[in-house]
Amino acid sequence: MLAATPNSSFHTTSSHFEALNSDNFKILPHFSSVNCFPPSKKFHLSSILLPNAVVRSPRTRRRRSKSSRGSGNLCNQFSVGASLAAEPGIQPEDALQQSFAPFSIKIPVGDRHILVETGHIGRQASGAVTVTDGETIIYTTVCLSDVPSEPSDFFPLSVHYQERFSAAGRTSGGFFKREGKTKDHEVLICRLIDRPIRPTMRKGFYHETQILSWVLSYDGVHPPDSLAVTAAGIAVALSEVPNSETIAGVRIGLIDDKFVVNPTNKEMEDSKLDLLLAGTDSAILMIEGYCDFLPEEKLLEAVEVGQNAVRAIIEAVESLVKKCGKPKMLDAIKLPPPELYKHVEEIAGDELIEALQIKNKIPRRKALSSLEAKVIGILTEEGFVSKIEAAVTTETLPDLNEDEDEDEEVVLDGEIDEGDIRIKPVPKKPTPLLYSEVDVKLVFKEVSSNFLRRRIVEGGKRSDGRTPEELRSINSRCGLLPRAHGSALFTRGETQSLAVVTLGDKQMAQRIDNLVDDDEFKRFYLQYCFPPSCVGEVGRAGAPSRREIGHGMLAERALERILPSEDDFPYTVRVESTITESNGSSSMASVCGGCLALQDAGVPVKSSIAGIAMGMVLDTKEFGGDGTPLILSDITGGEDASGDMDFKVAGNDDGVTSFQMDIKVGGITLPVMRKALLQAKEGRKQILAEMAKCFPPPSKTLSKYAPIIHVMKVKPDKVNLIIGSGGKKVKSIIEETGVESIETQDDGIVKITARDLVSLEKSKAIIARLTMVSTVGEIYRDCEIKSIAQYGVFVEISPGREGLCHISELSANWLAKAEDAFKVGDRIDVKLIEVNEKGQLRLSRRALLPESAKQQNGNKANNGEITEDGSPDLKVAEPTEANSTLPENSFVKRFVRSGKDVKQTDKTVPKKNPVKSFINVSKKSTSAAVNGEAKI
């Protein structure tokens, strides 16, 4: 093995090159990742081996390439820089150090700057940057495989985004402390990164590319999602990936009717708009977000603000790319042969036009698949022969029997005598043209897309016969699932969504484990399911894909704006949207079906909303138009795949609630977006009108199978009485009454969830008595003695509420021990004579006895001082104006006493006559302020 020593300039001679080019040694090919030197320091071929460079045999090189597939291109591990030589005065090791020199730049974004750094960490990746906003730091790398993948119509790009808990000084609350499965909100950010970058990738580049992004530090103030989009765009621009444009992303908020670029988390709490925009310096590639019924014109203003902010970022990034960007791998782009397009059109032109006119999706798909197989068979197996007449050529036949003395030969017809050589004209057999199957598939798809565009632009008709503004037929029905709390089936053309609503209490809420909050709960969530059967195919059925998570979040954000507040509707709401048929715009069908299902479940929504997907043919001049972009309403799956835009908009007549736009071309401008938004508004109005014709209509009442949630308000200091020691009391109430759950809050809110009214009323009564505000002077009849102490007895005046009747207040006569006159389980009448600052009650039975009996033994009474037996110091307090004030809202309490009199140890005290039942009317406390039924 031949190697160069470090810190020395190694020059090879011609003999060295001969050795290197021999059978035993071979110079490794020049990898583009070697070109990590700054453009200002170019190298020329002068037989220089880099420090620590080695020359490997072909077998070693192949094994190296295979093992390193999918990993980053390592700048300092390549063997020979075949195109590098030092300029005068520059040594190779100096060039390497300069290539790894750190660069940083501050970029103004909104009212602050973000810091972009490269060359500090991740130097072996094709591109690596750290972007800092406040104390939030994103680290992003871009790597590509050394060997290209098989050509396909889908660029091999993968994006992974992860939020490390250590970024916020936390550890996962689960059993496994290591970050594992990607969370839903991380998947959404992966999609935000992927969607704007993919359109900037050049066709024909098939090296697998991977973008990895980590949140290394999070301050809880500056959100990392828009920062991650910008970091990914900068990393791609610095790498060797041959992208066409540099992208960046920003978030726009609307706070106090003012647009704010990259607002903080605190500012976003008061924002009416959450718009995340990504684009280039001249066009918009992606928007996504939600708003509170914002008009289209206001949304366009926000997009314009975001585009200006993106343009300022990209201008600064371009200067960074010029300093330390790597040369692009333009030589790796492999496109199909240009003449193949004409051959495909010649073979499949007429049949392709007929197939694209089939209205139904499945027959059209089968016809196109059959035609594609035919084209592939001709161009890859049999070979294609052009219809041009075969060329005529001549074939020379040498005369092998040369004889000077031979007589003159007779020239036959059709032959030309040219002395010793006879020339006979013969037809040349055409050579069949053969192409690779991958190239034929790519070209067939593009030709089909062009034919479809031409049909729409020139003929004004789409595959199903609609005009560009026309919608598909709409049908909807509600209540088709009797046991579900709410259900709806929404059908638009060949797209169908079955939406089901389930209501529950807080225990059904979805818990989200994020960087800052340990226990964030969502009381509304929508889950979207796209089984392979909805498109008539066989496929994987399992965990939700990234597409399903993204579509579900889009529909969830659209419906979230019409839900009532938790105070008005204290339910957790879950919506399931199962796509049973799909031919485009299934997420918007989920919005329409979900809205009807919510109404069928009795959820008091603010208004009805609908969603629609818009498409576009950008360059109409190429297909016979005047060059003006053509906007398509309610696009199908084929129009989405063959078109240039997928713009989903949800809302009502007044404004927009959620939106999402993906672009397959270089971007669109504001005038094009304005036209699409206004056309989408007209489409939403038509869909809402059709939804109003739903039959059977939504019930708009709670299902009998839905749980009943009752909300009570008690004094905050009474909450502990409901919970009890270790939760024993609340568990006993649930077990005794049969309710499902009782939820208490520190502010005094109590939510009771039950399946029937009987159990609900029982629990309401117990909690009301348990938390009622007792008033000095109230009389309680037929109360049970729960326990006996040396200094008195404890009497239960209401379920769970006890008070002390001191031994001095038990009888008019003097008692040495309470056990002498009473036992546990006896029932007595008592009067409330004091409530101390701790809420403890002091009761008196003696106060209800005749005056003569009390006066007889008045001097013997113990007035509450602490005695040697350890009795508490509960002094008798007369009712005052402060503690006798009754709460608001009167209520009626009934306490019934049986005719059985209480035992008397003193025979001289006359027995009291049985007292009949009576009603004591007083003010109702806030503890019993209930709303009757669930607020619907």
Side-chain angles (χ1 to χ4, degrees), residues 741-878:
S741 64
I742 298 176
E743 176 192 347
T744 61
Q745 299 178 8
D746 294 338
D747 58 356
I749 296 294
V750 180
K751 295 181 181 179
I752 308 172
T753 305
R755 286 289 177 183
D756 55 82
L757 289 173
V758 176
S759 59
L760 177 65
E761 293 298 332
K762 288 182 180 179
S763 61
K764 282 168 54 180
I766 293 176
I767 293 176
R769 291 193 298 266
L770 191 64
T771 59
M772 66 181 181
V773 178
S774 302
T775 306
V776 173
E778 287 185 343
I779 299 175
Y780 304 93
R781 302 289 183 181
D782 197 33
C783 300
E784 182 181 359
I785 298 177
K786 288 293 186 180
S787 60
I788 299 178
Q790 293 182 353
Y791 43 82
V793 298
F794 289 93
V795 183
E796 185 181 48
I797 61 174
S798 64
R801 193 73 190 277
E802 297 181 4
L804 173 66
C805 185
H806 194 268
I807 192 171
S808 63
E809 297 293 338
L810 280 174
S811 174
N813 299 324
W814 182 84
L815 289 177
K817 294 181 179 180
E819 294 92 335
D820 296 341
F822 304 97
K823 66 178 183 296
V824 175
D826 289 345
R827 294 185 174 273
I828 60 176
D829 299 336
V830 291
K831 180 179 180 180
L832 180 62
I833 60 176
E834 183 185 358
V835 180
N836 67 9
E837 58 184 7
K838 295 182 179 180
Q840 297 172 331
L841 309 180
R842 179 170 180 177
L843 307 174
S844 174
R845 175 179 176 273
R846 189 170 68 93
L848 300 179
L849 299 178
E851 292 294 332
S852 58
K854 290 188 291 183
Q855 292 177 358
Q856 181 179 356
N857 202 23
N859 295 329
K860 296 181 180 180
N862 188 337
N863 289 330
E865 291 86 359
I866 297 178
T867 59
E868 294 181 358
D869 59 3
S871 60
D873 183 17
L874 292 176
K875 297 182 179 179
V876 178
E878 295 297 329

Side-chain angles (χ1 to χ4, degrees), residues 490-534:
F490 179 83
T491 307
R492 178 168 54 199
E494 293 179 299
T495 298
Q496 189 178 74
S497 168
L498 175 62
V500 181
V501 171
T502 305
L503 304 177
D505 57 4
K506 189 176 180 180
Q507 294 180 355
M508 200 183 80
Q510 185 179 27
R511 180 180 175 180
I512 300 176
D513 193 9
N514 54 28
L515 285 177
V516 178
D517 300 321
D518 297 289
D519 51 355
E520 180 182 353
F521 293 91
K522 290 175 62 175
R523 60 178 291 261
F524 170 70
Y525 49 96
L526 186 147
Q527 296 172 335
Y528 170 98
C529 178
F530 191 90
S533 61
C534 69

Side-chain angles (χ1 to χ4, degrees), residues 452-461 620 622-625 630:
L452 179 62
R453 293 166 182 246
R454 185 173 297 278
R455 170 179 167 80
I456 297 174
V457 175
E458 287 185 349
K461 295 291 183 180
T620 57
E622 182 182 352
F623 306 104
L630 179 63

Side-chain angles (χ1 to χ4, degrees), residues 124-139:
Q124 297 184 17
S126 181
V129 296
T130 56
V131 182
T132 305
D133 186 8
E135 292 182 347
T136 298
I137 301 177
I138 303 291
Y139 168 53

Side-chain angles (χ1 to χ4, degrees), residues 103-109 112-118 129 230 233-234 237-238 246-248 280-281 308-325:
F103 292 92
S104 63
I105 185 173
K106 287 188 176 181
I107 301 175
V109 180
R112 58 185 184 274
H113 289 75
I114 62 173
L115 177 64
V116 178
E117 297 175 285
T118 185
V129 296
T230 299
I234 299 174
L238 294 173
T246 303
I247 72 151
T280 66
D281 57 351
N308 294 334
V310 166
R311 186 180 296 113
I313 296 175
I314 293 177
E315 289 177 358
V317 172
E318 291 295 338
S319 63
L320 179 65
V321 173
K322 291 179 181 179
K323 293 180 180 178
C324 54

Side-chain angles (χ1 to χ4, degrees), residues 401-414:
N401 299 320
E402 296 184 1
D403 190 353
E404 296 181 358
D405 298 334
E406 187 176 357
D407 297 335
E408 184 178 352
E409 296 183 7
V410 178
V411 178
L412 302 177
D413 293 339

